[in-house]
Amino acid sequence: MVALTAEKQDHNLLSRMAAGDGHGENSAYFDGWKAYEENPFHPIDRPDGVIQMGLAENQLCGDLMRKWVLEHPEASICTAEGVNQFSDIAIFQDYHGLPEFRQAVAKFMEKTRNNKVKFDPDRIVMSGGATGAHETVAFCLANPGDGFLVPTPYYPGFDRDLRWRTGVNLVPVTCHSSNGFKITVEALDAAYENARVPVKGLLITNPSNPLGTTLDRDCLKSLVKFTNDKGIHLIADEIYAATTFGESEFISVAEVIEEIPDCNRDLIHIVYSLSKDMGLPGLRVGIIYSYNNRVVQIARKMSSFGLVSSQTQHLIAKMLSDEDFVDEFIRKSKLRLAERHAELTTGLDGLGIGWLKAGAGLFIWMDLRNLLKTATFDSEMELWRVIVHKVKLNVSPGGSCHCHEPGWFRVCFANMDHQTMETALERIRVFTSQIEEESLKLTKQMAKKKKCWQSSLRLSFKDTRRFEEGFFSPHSPVPPSPLVRAQI
Amino acid sequence: MKQLSTKVTSNAHGQDSSYFLGWEEYEKNPYDEIKNPNGIIQMGLAENQLCFDLIETWLAKNPDAAGLKKEGQSIFKELALFQDYHGLPEFKKALAEFMEEIRGNRVTFDPSKIVLTAGSTSANETLMFCLAEPGDAFLLPTPYYPGFDRDLKWRTGAEIVPIHCSSSNGFQITESALQQAYQQAQKLDLKVKGVLVTNPSNPLGTMLTRRELNLLVDFITSKNIHLISDEIYSGTVFGFEQFVSVMDVLKDKKLENSEVSRRVHVVYSLSKDLGLPGFRVGAIYSNDEMVVSAATKMSSFGLVSSQTQYLLSALLSDKKFTGTYLNENQKRLKIRQKQLVSGLEAAGVTCLKSNAGLFCWVDMRHLLDTNTFEAELELWKKIVYEVKLNISPGSSCHCTEPGWFRVCFANMSEETLDLAMKRLKEYVESTDSRRLISKSSHERIKSLRKRTVSNWVFRVSWTDRVPDER
């Protein structure tokens, strides 16, 4: 009794925010992370461990980064070559940020948008990663109780970043696999009209997490027009801008607004970060880029709560000013992403597993709808638990991304080496063949009883019809791999 | 603009205050020995620039840490990927031990109770989010650091109710002042969630006495509220007296594992002791698991850069370095503070006797035309624009008595400090306020010294220590 009272007292002594679940980490989806942490895969020490395919990290070009850092000791304020700058940098806490840092970041943002648009270094505001950027933008654009429209499926972290401490709501804009999860104006209108809270803005992630798709020019224009017409903000999270590969093209909202003469730019904001494009999540470099002067001013004041370490600003300024390095890095990163993506998708194709055609991001959006017992999220959870605990792959179930339809999974590929990818594919192969065997057994048994409801059980995955249905996003110019046809 | 939140359209960020305006004026016309010798000297910035040579020497002797290497191999790639909000274990361990060392190893800090944040700015805001609902209040003794108005209130919706402290007893916290503040909050219909103190104090530069600390612990016990002790200046104590942390008091009262200890939280940072504000290293230390858990998750909004964690874990793990650094830092601060105090005296100006911090709390009441804040602001403007010194007026720190100013001494060279004092002396001598000090400046200082001594005696009588120089 005494213990209970003490705990109850605890709850009253802390804020509701601290005592509640708003951080989102009590969700069942964290089981996958826990399973990985308890038993992480290692090719030698733990060959049966869980392979982490739930972490969208770009680890493919770490060697290039390391080489540059070793060759440029002056980029560090601690080495003999750079220590003359130590004290100046160590005391620098101006929330405007080092000018050379802002200039280098602006230049990098231009490069990752194929130099089709200019970015003004004075509009660049620092934040504690994109995580901090999103929260700050929400604090600036919305009051507690207001809402942002967000197309589904979306990055699960948004539930925390945009809502937890800000009191802002997320209003889902449902997207369907029938059209490759494209955002339609009809869906936007429906979500806007039916929202039970005042809608202050629309948040898009382009390229998309978890889909990996990019928005085409017309779609972007329609989103700008929609938000402008309603007088609400458009926040474009472009954190995956440089992760396009193959023939996929990334078009930034910055480019599109140049083509809309009467666009109200006070409503346009970009969130960016170096965590994905450069593979530097540990350095916490988040950026808010707003076309609204007042937002820039206030977000800058708020950046006091999450400035980028001046030591890091200095390093990044030097690194991103090395244009030859940056060009080479982006080029190689795209090539390696394309390779690893092809490895995974070719493997999946060979096993008859579908995935949404897309040309960006560090993950694929895998279709396992045919493996669900019923088209429900309970079934999806059940399947997910099997994948985590039996197949030993941590992947992210679509339900955690607020996907409208059960059966989709986000599978990351850029955070592992070739050998680990092979191991993962082998495990999937074993798993699918086991399911096939069981299916065949069941078919034989059922055939004896001649029950026709069995047709609802997918008997074979190598059903070529599924490749034609809705797997080809109208916005991805990447054609199906010729290997797919060959293997069937 | 109704398209933006009220946080944007209001002025709750507090940056229209004179504290920040002085900075702006400095930015427009900054002093430089060679390039701008008539510019404004920055004395409003509590920075510690006295010991960079020690760190730079250490870096030269430690190429692995300096080059982000381990045993000669670059670990840049691993650091670049490290974004775990639990922080680098070796860094938290080193930080905990550094905090212990500063407190004479009398108390222990458990690394698992540390939450890393983006500076103490973020630490204080995060604690507010964890402990207070919008509209709840924290009591703060005045004068206090102007940044608290933004850090504690702006995005959290929390309120600050002042605990009025006066020069009559050296601005110490009294029981009646605490009770009055609590009652005032109730009158305003604000639920009091805790008390927040800065120890050593900003802007006073004094340490809280054991009496005050005991009073605070008893007060929060009886009211069942929190106590946040911002100990960001704990490593800047340069007098003979030891720094007494709230953790010392909990230990002495045998409350270390009690329910009360779970309501006591310490905020720390490396911005002042080590002089590294640019690196954004702050910490919350709490005995309450739920606070640690919630604050750790919130730290996602402002994690410490992994390259910075790595460098500092190596630096702070070197006990030889930390011991030498803390000693030398204290020595240099003491010398520089003495230089400021004598410079002020030569200008006929005294300050609150202090032995910590990077500033002095200067008494310019005798230079005011009238005993009002308007007069204080007038004087401040003259000091900024005519004397060309940026100092912080007491009103920006919510002081209840006009005429006090915070003047920093650790962010400039000896020569610059000399020049600043020269300018001040010239100003005082040339203005009409000379009439106020017309009884030879010698006599005035003599009588002021008497008052200072009696203040000292007054303070000593409240402590249970052997009287010592403060």
Side-chain angles (χ1 to χ4, degrees):
Chain A
M1 245 342 243
V2 171
L4 268 175
T5 313
E7 217 189 273
K8 194 178 173 197
Q9 255 191 334
D10 267 351
H11 276 268
N12 289 335
L13 279 175
L14 303 191
S15 67
R16 286 188 288 273
M17 198 182 282
D21 283 343
H23 48 73
E25 289 181 32
N26 289 343
S27 117
Y29 300 116
F30 272 80
D31 287 352
W33 287 80
K34 288 175 197 160
Y36 168 76
E37 259 153 42
E38 281 158 21
N39 185 19
F41 170 80
H42 184 275
I44 299 157
D45 302 335
R46 277 180 191 262
D48 294 327
V50 175
I51 297 178
Q52 176 64 286
M53 301 188 92
L55 191 56
E57 269 180 7
N58 184 354
Q59 293 189 24
L60 304 183
C61 289
D63 59 320
L64 302 177
M65 198 61 85
R66 184 177 55 227
K67 182 166 177 278
W68 189 92
V69 167
L70 286 170
E71 287 172 0
H72 292 83
E74 75 285 2
S76 164
I77 51 173
C78 302
T79 56
E81 293 82 349
V83 79
N84 60 320
Q85 301 229 266
F86 182 84
S87 54
D88 283 341
I89 298 294
I91 54 168
F92 186 84
Q93 55 172 330
D94 180 349
Y95 58 29
H96 289 87
L98 284 174
E100 52 268 33
F101 168 76
R102 282 185 286 114
Q103 278 151 25
V105 168
K107 192 110 216 109
F108 183 73
M109 287 174 71
E110 288 168 8
K111 276 187 190 293
T112 51
R113 288 144 182 86
N114 295 312
N115 293 307
K116 297 227 178 108
V117 66
K118 287 252 162 261
F119 286 98
D120 177 0
D122 290 337
R123 287 192 179 282
I124 288 189
V125 174
M126 297 180 286
S127 59
T131 300
H134 277 295
E135 189 192 52
T136 297
V137 168
F139 271 126
C140 286
L141 305 183
N143 291 314
D146 289 343
F148 285 139
L149 300 174
V150 193
T152 66
Y154 62 80
Y155 162 57
F158 282 158
D159 289 325
R160 171 198 62 192
D161 301 348
L162 292 160
R163 300 185 322 168
W164 189 18
R165 308 193 304 182
T166 60
V168 170
N169 298 295
L170 292 182
V171 179
V173 178
T174 309
C175 300
H176 301 273
S177 62
S178 52
N179 71 342
F181 294 97
K182 182 185 170 179
I183 308 167
T184 62
V185 176
E186 294 72 33
L188 283 170
D189 272 326
Y192 184 85
E193 295 307 322
N194 297 322
R196 283 174 277 187
V197 295
V199 171
K200 280 300 176 63
L202 165 65
L203 167 65
I204 58 169
T205 308
N206 177 34
S208 164
N209 176 9
L211 304 174
T213 50
T214 48
L215 297 177
D216 65 38
R217 201 173 292 274
D218 289 337
C219 181
L220 273 167
K221 275 189 172 158
S222 69
L223 296 180
V224 172
K225 289 203 169 103
F226 173 83
T227 50
N228 257 222
D229 287 343
K230 301 271 188 274
I232 63 176
H233 296 278
L234 177 61
I235 305 143
D237 182 343
E238 301 189 344
I239 196 176
Y240 292 99
T243 65
T244 51
F245 47 82
E247 286 160 32
S248 211
E249 199 199 353
F250 170 62
I251 302 167
S252 166
V253 72
E255 205 184 316
V256 159
I257 60 175
E258 298 295 331
E259 297 164 19
I260 302 173
D262 52 352
C263 174
N264 179 0
R265 293 190 180 201
D266 276 346
L267 298 173
I268 310 290
H269 322 272
I270 297 175
V271 164
Y272 188 57
S273 159
L274 298 183
S275 299
K276 311 294 180 183
D277 288 349
M278 296 289 282
L280 303 170
L283 301 188
R284 316 311 304 146
V285 183
I287 302 291
I288 297 168
Y289 189 93
S290 175
Y291 289 89
N292 181 319
N293 293 340
R294 183 88 175 131
V295 171
V296 169
Q297 235 184 20
I298 296 296
R300 187 171 282 139
K301 290 176 177 27
M302 285 191 187
S303 69
S304 299
F305 298 111
L307 296 173
V308 176
S309 168
S310 54
Q311 178 191 18
T312 300
Q313 289 184 52
H314 184 261
L315 171 73
I316 295 299
K318 288 266 188 265
M319 187 185 280
L320 299 185
S321 307
D322 184 344
E323 297 208 38
D324 290 337
F325 167 74
V326 169
D327 290 339
E328 185 60 8
F329 182 93
I330 295 175
R331 193 185 67 81
K332 283 212 165 118
S333 178
K334 286 177 189 248
L335 275 173
R336 295 178 187 186
L337 284 171
E339 255 175 49
R340 196 51 57 76
H341 176 267
E343 215 185 311
L344 173 60
T345 53
T346 306
L348 292 179
D349 289 344
L351 297 170
I353 294 177
W355 45 278
L356 183 68
K357 294 296 177 283
L362 310 175
F363 33 71
I364 58 144
W365 189 235
M366 187 169 68
D367 183 1
L368 295 182
R369 288 176 292 174
N370 59 303
L371 291 185
L372 297 185
K373 289 205 179 107
T374 52
T376 61
F377 286 104
D378 283 340
S379 256
E380 180 187 274
M381 251 323 214
E382 215 185 295
L383 174 59
W384 177 62
R385 291 214 164 93
V386 168
I387 296 174
V388 170
H389 297 292
K390 299 244 165 73
V391 191
K392 304 254 184 71
L393 302 177
N394 181 32
V395 298
S396 311
S400 68
C401 305
H402 301 276
C403 187
H404 185 64
E405 305 160 34
W408 293 88
F409 292 81
R410 189 190 78 167
V411 182
C412 299
F413 59 78
N415 62 319
M416 61 188 67
D417 59 24
H418 168 72
Q419 194 187 0
T420 310
M421 175 62 76
E422 283 203 338
T423 310
L425 283 169
E426 179 58 21
R427 290 183 185 182
I428 300 174
R429 192 196 64 74
V430 167
F431 172 60
T432 54
S433 62
Q434 278 170 356
I435 294 195
E436 274 232 8
E437 274 178 39
E438 284 174 22
S439 267
L440 281 168
K441 267 190 217 160
L442 209 50
T443 313
K444 280 180 187 161
Q445 287 171 6
M446 288 304 139
K448 285 180 190 168
K449 295 179 187 174
K450 285 181 191 171
K451 290 233 167 108
C452 60
W453 56 264
Q454 285 309 305
S455 61
S456 70
L457 272 180
R458 312 292 174 124
L459 299 178
S460 165
F461 300 75
K462 294 196 177 177
D463 182 346
T464 54
R465 275 183 298 128
R466 290 180 301 98
F467 284 102
E468 268 81 87
E469 282 167 359
F471 280 22
F472 304 133
S473 159
H475 306 292
S476 168
V478 176
S481 161
L483 289 173
V484 167
R485 306 264 153 166
Q487 273 166 3
I488 289 167
Chain B
M1 194 184 176
K2 65 173 153 66
Q3 282 162 337
L4 303 182
S5 68
T6 50
K7 286 179 183 55
V8 167
T9 51
S10 74
N11 283 334
H13 50 72
Q15 283 180 33
D16 294 335
S17 110
S18 48
Y19 177 76
F20 294 99
L21 291 174
W23 283 42
E24 279 173 26
E25 287 312 307
Y26 165 76
E27 304 271 303
K28 290 180 201 162
N29 182 19
Y31 168 80
D32 181 285
E33 206 179 342
I34 298 156
K35 295 182 217 162
N36 191 16
N38 293 322
I40 298 177
I41 297 176
Q42 176 63 289
M43 303 189 89
L45 194 53
E47 270 176 7
N48 183 355
Q49 295 189 26
L50 305 185
C51 291
F52 285 125
D53 59 313
L54 301 178
I55 300 178
E56 286 158 5
T57 306
W58 183 91
L59 288 170
K61 294 186 186 155
N62 290 271
D64 261 11
L68 297 178
K69 292 179 182 160
K70 216 170 204 169
E71 285 148 27
Q73 294 303 311
S74 169
I75 53 163
F76 183 80
K77 194 176 150 185
E78 288 76 3
L79 287 175
L81 295 171
F82 184 82
Q83 57 174 328
D84 181 354
Y85 57 29
H86 291 101
L88 266 182
E90 48 270 38
F91 177 51
K92 292 214 299 198
K93 179 170 180 286
L95 185 61
E97 286 166 0
F98 187 62
M99 289 169 74
E100 288 170 357
E101 194 175 348
I102 287 174
R103 291 156 185 75
N105 291 306
R106 298 182 303 272
V107 292
T108 53
F109 287 93
D110 175 355
S112 69
K113 294 180 179 177
I114 292 180
V115 180
L116 298 174
T117 60
S120 60
T121 298
S122 179
N124 282 313
E125 188 197 42
T126 296
L127 273 175
M128 283 301 114
F129 274 124
C130 288
L131 306 179
E133 305 295 346
D136 286 346
F138 261 74
L139 310 180
L140 266 66
T142 65
Y144 63 76
Y145 162 56
F148 281 151
D149 290 323
R150 172 198 60 193
D151 301 349
L152 304 177
K153 302 194 313 180
W154 189 17
R155 306 189 308 178
T156 63
E159 294 291 347
I160 294 177
V161 174
I163 303 166
H164 294 297
C165 299
S166 90
S167 59
S168 60
N169 73 341
F171 295 95
Q172 287 191 52
I173 303 169
T174 62
E175 172 142 25
S176 65
L178 263 174
Q179 295 289 358
Q180 263 178 37
Y182 190 87
Q183 280 151 27
Q184 176 62 9
Q186 293 187 314
K187 267 191 213 143
L188 296 170
D189 214 18
L190 300 171
K191 184 164 183 216
V192 176
K193 274 310 188 51
V195 180
L196 186 149
V197 296
T198 308
N199 179 30
S201 163
N202 175 11
L204 303 175
T206 52
M207 299 188 293
L208 288 182
T209 59
R210 218 172 254 281
R211 177 199 68 85
E212 287 166 285
L213 287 164
N214 279 322
L215 172 64
L216 286 165
V217 172
D218 291 342
F219 183 76
I220 64 150
T221 306
S222 71
K223 301 281 188 229
N224 197 29
I225 58 178
H226 296 275
L227 175 62
I228 300 171
S229 181
D230 184 341
E231 303 190 348
I232 192 178
Y233 291 99
S234 48
T236 66
V237 174
F238 50 80
F240 287 110
E241 277 189 38
Q242 274 175 340
F243 169 61
V244 180
S245 164
V246 69
M247 303 299 268
D248 281 296
V249 165
L250 285 177
K251 185 177 178 190
D252 294 344
K253 283 163 99 81
K254 302 212 187 332
L255 291 171
E256 273 155 311
N257 295 310
S258 68
E259 187 274 327
V260 176
S261 74
R262 295 215 314 274
R263 287 187 271 116
V264 176
H265 321 277
V266 172
V267 164
Y268 187 53
S269 159
L270 298 181
S271 299
K272 310 295 179 183
D273 293 348
L274 287 186
L276 307 172
F279 289 2
R280 314 315 301 145
V281 182
I284 294 169
Y285 186 88
S286 176
N287 289 308
D288 185 322
E289 274 169 18
M290 277 177 74
V291 171
V292 171
S293 172
T296 300
K297 294 173 174 63
M298 286 188 189
S299 69
S300 300
F301 300 111
L303 297 174
V304 178
S305 172
S306 56
Q307 71 173 135
T308 301
Q309 290 189 52
Y310 183 69
L311 170 69
L312 294 176
S313 74
L315 186 76
L316 297 182
S317 301
D318 184 342
K319 302 299 179 216
K320 193 153 168 262
F321 168 79
T322 55
T324 311
Y325 181 93
L326 286 171
N327 260 323
E328 193 57 30
N329 185 39
Q330 285 164 6
K331 276 195 197 132
R332 296 181 189 185
L333 286 170
K334 186 172 185 175
I335 293 170
R336 195 56 62 81
Q337 189 247 24
K338 271 207 161 118
Q339 189 188 348
L340 173 64
V341 171
S342 359
L344 288 169
E345 274 182 4
V349 176
T350 59
C351 51
L352 186 69
K353 211 156 185 323
S354 64
N355 63 349
L358 310 174
F359 33 71
C360 284
W361 188 236
V362 177
D363 185 356
M364 296 199 192
R365 289 175 291 177
H366 60 292
L367 298 176
L368 296 183
D369 288 335
T370 53
N371 184 26
T372 61
F373 286 110
E374 287 74 25
E376 179 185 278
L377 222 47
E378 280 308 308
L379 175 60
W380 175 69
K381 280 183 192 152
K382 288 196 186 117
I383 296 178
V384 171
Y385 296 109
E386 290 174 28
V387 190
K388 307 255 184 70
L389 303 177
N390 178 34
I391 61 178
S392 313
S395 51
S396 69
C397 304
H398 301 277
C399 186
T400 46
E401 302 167 31
W404 293 88
F405 291 79
R406 189 191 78 167
V407 180
C408 301
F409 56 77
N411 62 317
M412 64 190 73
S413 68
E414 276 182 48
E415 294 76 21
T416 309
L417 185 52
D418 259 343
L419 174 62
M421 293 298 95
K422 194 160 151 261
R423 286 184 187 178
L424 184 63
K425 185 161 186 268
E426 278 167 15
Y427 167 74
V428 169
E429 284 170 356
S430 72
T431 61
D432 289 344
S433 47
R434 187 190 244 169
R435 279 198 287 267
L436 293 170
I437 54 167
S438 61
K439 292 178 195 180
S440 76
S441 53
H442 176 74
E443 272 177 35
R444 200 182 68 79
I445 287 173
K446 212 168 141 191
S447 71
L448 278 167
R449 278 216 182 106
K450 252 198 215 156
R451 255 194 281 147
T452 312
V453 166
S454 61
N455 277 348
W456 175 80
V457 166
F458 184 78
R459 294 180 100 152
V460 163
S461 71
W462 282 102
T463 70
D464 53 5
R465 324 172 149 263
V466 173
D468 222 334
E469 182 191 341
R470 286 190 67 104

